[in-house]
Amino acid sequence: MLYLIGLGLGDVKDITVKGLEVVKKCTRVYLEAYTSILTVGKQALEEYYGRELILADREMVEQEADEILRGADITDVAFLVVGDPFGATTHSDLVLRAVNAGIQYRVIHNASVMNAVGCCGLQLYNFGETVSIVFWTDTWRPESFYDKIKRNREMGMHTLCLLDIKVKEQSMENLMRGRKIYEPPRYMSVNQAAEQLLEIVKNRREREEELAISEDTVCVGLARIGAEDQAIIAGTLQHLACCDLGGPLHSLIITGHLHPLEVDMLRLFATQPDSLQSLTTTDSSTYTS
């Protein structure tokens, strides 16, 4: 059996009882190590689980999946994922490979950022399509995520923005020379994402396009959700571009139409008196910015 086990969002104790029982009995246990991170490292997990973990980076999961599945038809193999196993589409590919190889699989779910963002007070059923915001480079500055935010805003929906993670990445020079030298890990912060969005707003304004968001759009920044030191801040996009929420992982929410209860909850996380002053009412029960 191949087990895909969610680890939750915080530390070693966020694994479910069911998940931990499976980990302890498996022949091999892989730790997926590139779509997200916990607040603790591999060694802490090994000590708590009482098992050696095999790090599975992007290259292994996407190009050497057969090694992960090796023997899973006659023994138990576990694949551990921070959050929930299906928070990343990569893991659907692993399931399909297992099925095609005649290997049974079982999923043990856990909390993920997709539902834990409700901690900021925005109602989950008011969210539209989730988007990913990637690091820009000098030669690559995509804006496609803005268009998805625009579609969500037009429907009055909130947008959860997952921020880029760069782990085990090679520089262009090392990639071209075939050198297995990797850059230090990088994790996009809320203020970096806000700065990129502000630049897109500036570009679209200069092209005289109708704007989906502005500097005054109310947003929510979240950091280390599920950990004891999680941080949440509500304010305008311009304000979030100047905020420091500490270490990774960060997420950003662009609000759509807001129910009065959502507004009351956001006030708990507003760090400045004027953070929510840009809100206006469209009717007796709906706010927008």
Side-chain angles (χ1 to χ4, degrees):
M1 179 82 73
L2 171 68
Y3 289 92
L4 292 93
I5 302 173
L7 299 183
L9 295 170
D11 56 29
V12 296
K13 294 183 179 180
D14 281 353
I15 190 172
T16 64
V17 174
K18 184 182 296 183
L20 184 57
E21 289 175 347
V22 171
V23 166
K24 289 182 176 295
K25 74 170 187 174
C26 283
T27 302
R28 298 192 312 280
V29 183
Y30 293 90
L31 173 63
E32 190 261 77
Y34 65 93
T35 60
S36 188
I37 58 170
L38 285 177
T39 57
V40 295
K42 172 174 174 282
Q43 183 177 348
L45 293 174
E46 289 178 328
E47 291 175 357
Y48 189 77
Y49 300 161
R51 292 300 310 276
E52 178 185 355
L53 304 181
I54 305 168
L55 279 181
D57 58 18
R58 182 187 296 272
E59 183 177 336
M60 171 178 278
V61 176
E62 295 182 352
Q63 301 177 25
E64 303 172 17
D66 290 344
E67 172 58 25
I68 296 173
L69 298 175
R70 176 177 52 83
D73 55 337
I74 57 175
T75 188
D76 291 329
V77 175
F79 185 76
L80 310 183
V81 181
V82 175
D84 185 80
F86 288 114
T89 54
T90 300
H91 309 131
S92 297
D93 178 69
L94 188 62
V95 166
L96 291 172
R97 288 174 181 270
V99 171
N100 289 335
I103 297 169
Q104 297 184 74
Y105 75 94
R106 184 179 175 192
V107 180
I108 300 176
H109 293 285
N110 210 320
S112 80
V113 67
M114 304 292 284
N115 55 37
V117 292
C119 65
C120 71
L122 297 180
Q123 296 163 2
L124 293 178
Y125 52 74
N126 288 339
F127 279 78
E129 182 179 358
T130 298
V131 308
S132 296
I133 298 182
V134 298
F135 279 113
W136 280 352
T137 68
D138 293 337
T139 58
W140 188 61
R141 303 167 75 84
E143 298 185 2
S144 57
F145 51 83
Y146 170 87
D147 297 317
K148 294 181 179 180
I149 294 170
K150 181 178 181 180
R151 288 199 294 271
N152 285 342
R153 290 268 295 176
E154 289 172 346
M155 295 186 292
M157 311 299 284
H158 310 315
T159 306
L160 170 61
C161 303
L162 303 179
L163 308 187
D164 203 2
I165 297 173
K166 296 291 188 186
V167 178
K168 207 174 181 182
E169 296 279 334
Q170 292 175 271
S171 67
M172 185 59 66
E173 180 183 355
N174 287 327
L175 189 61
M176 294 177 65
R177 293 178 179 272
R179 297 186 299 210
K180 295 274 187 177
I181 301 174
Y182 301 102
E183 301 292 295
R186 289 192 298 151
Y187 307 97
M188 182 179 285
S189 64
V190 163
N191 66 291
Q192 288 173 315
E195 287 172 355
Q196 289 188 185
L197 283 167
L198 287 171
E199 187 163 339
I200 293 174
V201 169
K202 178 183 176 183
N203 294 341
R204 304 279 171 129
R205 183 179 287 128
E206 290 175 350
R207 296 202 293 266
E208 299 184 347
E209 295 184 18
E210 183 179 353
L211 296 178
I213 60 175
S214 73
E215 294 84 352
D216 294 327
T217 298
V218 171
C219 302
V220 184
L222 308 101
R224 301 172 303 284
I225 294 304
E228 290 186 4
D229 65 342
Q230 74 175 25
I232 304 173
I233 186 169
T236 64
L237 182 61
Q238 185 72 64
H239 176 49
L240 263 59
C242 305
C243 291
D244 181 4
L245 273 70
L249 291 170
H250 290 197
S251 301
L252 175 68
I253 300 172
I254 313 294
T255 64
H257 291 170
L258 291 160
H259 185 276
L261 282 177
E262 292 180 300
V263 175
D264 288 342
M265 285 295 293
L266 290 185
R267 287 197 177 101
L268 299 178
F269 307 111
T271 57
Q272 296 184 346
D274 60 348
S275 293
L276 304 182
Q277 281 190 355
S278 62
L279 289 174
T280 58
T281 54
T282 59
D283 56 48
S284 61
S285 62
T286 305
Y287 291 81
T288 189
S289 61

